[in-house]
Amino acid sequence: MALSIIQAQRDIILGTIRDTVRGEWKVLIVDEASQKVLDSVVKEDDILNLNITNIERIENRRQTNRDMDALYFLSPQAHIVDCVMADFERRRYRKSFLIWTALLPPALRERIDRSKMAREQIALFKIVGVCVALGEYPTIRYYRPKDPRHEASVLCSHLARFVQEELDMYAKYHEDFPPPSTRPRGTLYILDRSMDLFAPFLHEFTYQAMAHDLLPIKDGEKVTFRTVTEEGRPDSEKDVEISEKDKIWVENRHRHMKDTIEKLMGDFQKFIDENPHFANQTGNEAKNNLNVIKDMLAGLPQFQELKEAYSLHLTMAQDCMNIFEHNKLPDLASVEQILATGLDEDFKKPKNVADQVVRNLDEDSVSHPDRLRLIALYLLYRDGLLPADLQKLLAHSNLPSRDSEVINNLELLGARVSKPLKDKSTFQPLFPRKQQAPTAAQEEYSLSRFNPVLQTMLEEHVRNTLDQSLFPYTKPPLDDSDAQNAALAATSLRSAKPTWAKPRTGGADARQRVIVFVAGGATYSESRACYEVARRAQREVVLVTSHMLSPGLFMRQLGDLGVDKRKLGIPAEQPKPKAPAHLFEREDATALSPQVSAVSSSSQLSQQQSQVSQASGQRPLPPGGGLPKGPAPPTRQMAGMNVGPPRPPAQNGGAVPQRSNAAMTAANAAANGQTGQPVGKLQKDPDDKKRKKHHFFGSKK
């Protein structure tokens, strides 16, 4: 089974929580970023089942609970450290177990280490990241262009140096890293999008790539596709999540679309064979028709989960094929493959390439985005065009003028957009192309001849023939361990030297791990390449990237490179987030007291009742719990009450202000929570001697 970084993250997160909790109840504190990490790989129930009382956001208002330990799962950001330090200042919890999603910057780590209160309350300080989760301390190599033309050509070298420094620092503070292992030492490659500009423009006909290219799939925190689950019902249309839990998706996503459809129909035919009572109702029509299979699935209420899964993927496959035929993608893709590989279907130098490009641009069925992609591929193939020729192509394609920005901004990624008249050069690939007769399998998939540069790089890595001038090390291995590891993994048992003294391990444990990071986004064809190389070469290949790219997203982001960055809302350009002010407010003595009644601290209703009681003048709950003793006496009102004769005027001639009996009575009634009572003077009313009078000391008739 191929390595799943999602499963690896899930295992390390749940394992860390389990090892930290050790059977004692704890509250889990997360922030906005770390919560997204948790939600993407772990179910909330899985966390709560590990003796976690509840999950709270560190930015929100939280109750102090000094009888409970807190497990923090946080991202290494400055404002999050501020929030943690505010908790330490208040001693909000008994003990704190800190787990970070990545290594803290030195300044933030030093701030925590210098704090005496932090040292007293921290019981655990741990880092969880990709390399840490995999237990790898890899050698690091990065992409260095042969002939850099753009300012960002140094990006990979800078990133590689930063990662090397972080890993070295982590290893310095954690003597148990990396853990003992029989695997060959892993390798981390740091690449960027400029290494392969053809891959994001091409039509890829494997299931996952084709679906993300042609269908309206929403790729946000969740990947969803809107589909009709039951035909004929207007309320049956809903967004269905496509994730690693979908076995049909995982099994078929890297297959060619032709093979995917055959597999889906074959699996359904197998289901029919296993249910002979249902087979009599279908006949042979379903064997070769996707729509018939979908209609049959709609009548299977007893197989609801199977029905929804197959209905989703049969719908997606059928929609892809409809667009494939309507937009005449076979003809368009044939030209794209020539431009990307520099070879025709017979693996020979192509002829009349410009005529084929113009012919496809004239087709009404070719959409405007596809025309722009074709022009970009032609420009890359020619290694630049005359400015006048480029404008003619754009005008001939009836593309809006703003689309020229997409083409011109390719220069910011290292491509040559314009060249002089006498320059007849063409694009030189990073790895030499092999001109050889196509095999039978290659002829069958002639529209998928292009291999991403990432795939060739991984194959060269496996053979240990990768050019070190193109992919240098941040720290060259002193003992050439990469070469030894590659040779060891590729050597058969028959030619290997005796290893009686070494422990025997399973095949999966001995596979080398190769981690590939692509800055600027990775394509689905590159994801497929990682899976294929891992399967063929017995490696575990992990693809890490800033985001996954569809052709539409790549062109949109390419066009945005010319826009003022202040208008793009780039997260790194926004004001740095700050810790909420309420974390630094003083808490009431009652809230800080550990003797607060369990009733008032356990429910929102009790808090509201306590607020109402205080507003009505009643005493708050006693420290030991129980019922209040009665209404509080209106001492403030009694202090200003006068039951005797009027006071003499002041010596300076001014009148002494007196509070009227009616006002005092109203105030006293309000203080005791009484409403609707008659308000009057404390003295007898000369006009009505029979009226019953009340005052605070008794009653008179």
Side-chain angles (χ1 to χ4, degrees), residues 348-388:
K348 297 180 180 178
K349 187 176 180 179
K351 299 178 181 179
N352 304 321
V353 176
D355 293 341
Q356 296 183 56
V357 170
V358 173
R359 193 182 308 120
N360 277 273
L361 293 176
D362 289 337
E363 287 286 346
D364 294 335
S365 58
V366 178
S367 65
H368 281 195
D370 285 346
R371 295 179 187 182
L372 184 60
R373 290 163 68 172
L374 185 59
I375 293 175
L377 288 169
Y378 181 62
L379 180 139
L380 294 173
Y381 167 76
R382 294 290 304 273
D383 196 28
L385 294 171
L386 296 174

Side-chain angles (χ1 to χ4, degrees), residues 428-608:
Q428 297 300 316
L430 199 62
F431 298 98
R433 298 184 177 118
K434 299 178 181 179
Q435 297 187 9
Q436 57 187 10
T439 62
Q442 289 173 332
E443 289 181 352
E444 186 178 3
Y445 302 102
S446 60
L447 297 182
S448 302
R449 303 191 305 276
F450 172 78
N451 290 326
V453 175
L454 175 58
Q455 179 173 336
T456 309
M457 184 207 76
L458 289 173
E459 292 170 347
E460 295 287 323
H461 167 82
V462 171
R463 291 191 291 264
N464 195 34
T465 56
L466 193 60
D467 188 352
Q468 292 193 24
S469 65
L470 271 177
F471 299 92
Y473 293 90
T474 54
K475 288 184 176 180
L478 300 177
D479 55 355
D480 199 16
S481 58
D482 275 6
Q484 295 177 11
N485 293 336
L488 178 62
T491 303
S492 66
L493 291 175
R494 181 172 300 176
S495 61
K497 296 181 179 180
T499 55
W500 301 295
K502 296 182 180 179
R504 295 173 181 254
T505 58
D509 293 337
R511 291 184 296 176
Q512 184 194 29
R513 284 188 175 132
V514 183
I515 306 170
V516 180
F517 174 75
V518 183
T523 67
Y524 292 100
S525 60
E526 291 167 337
S527 174
R528 169 187 56 81
C530 290
Y531 276 87
E532 291 181 351
V533 173
R535 186 183 66 254
R536 292 197 305 263
Q538 293 299 305
R539 297 293 197 281
E540 289 186 352
V541 182
V542 179
L543 176 63
V544 186
T545 184
S546 52
H547 57 290
M548 295 302 295
L549 285 173
S550 65
L553 176 60
F554 179 66
M555 289 193 295
R556 185 167 72 249
Q557 292 182 338
L558 199 57
D560 288 342
L561 291 178
V563 178
D564 186 349
K565 64 180 182 180
R566 292 174 294 182
K567 299 180 180 179
L568 297 177
I570 301 173
E573 301 292 334
Q574 302 303 309
K576 298 297 182 182
K578 296 181 179 180
H582 65 79
L583 292 177
F584 307 97
E585 296 173 355
R586 281 186 175 275
E587 288 187 320
D588 296 335
T590 303
L592 289 174
S593 174
Q595 302 295 331
V596 175
S597 170
V599 176
S600 62
S601 64
S602 63
S603 67
Q604 186 72 20
L605 179 62
S606 298
Q607 293 178 359
Q608 295 174 354

Side-chain angles (χ1 to χ4, degrees), residues 197-202 332 335-336 339-340 357 361 368-385 390 393-394 397 399 403-411 415-417 427 551 554-555 558:
L197 294 176
F198 284 95
F201 287 113
L202 282 169
L332 181 64
V335 180
E336 290 179 352
L339 299 175
V357 170
L361 293 176
H368 281 195
D370 285 346
R371 295 179 187 182
L372 184 60
R373 290 163 68 172
L374 185 59
I375 293 175
L377 288 169
Y378 181 62
L379 180 139
L380 294 173
Y381 167 76
R382 294 290 304 273
D383 196 28
L385 294 171
L390 178 58
L393 279 175
L394 292 170
S397 304
L399 295 176
D403 284 348
S404 61
E405 287 297 315
V406 175
I407 302 297
N408 293 330
N409 288 342
L410 282 170
E411 196 165 15
R416 185 160 70 156
V417 174
F427 174 76
F554 179 66
M555 289 193 295
L558 199 57

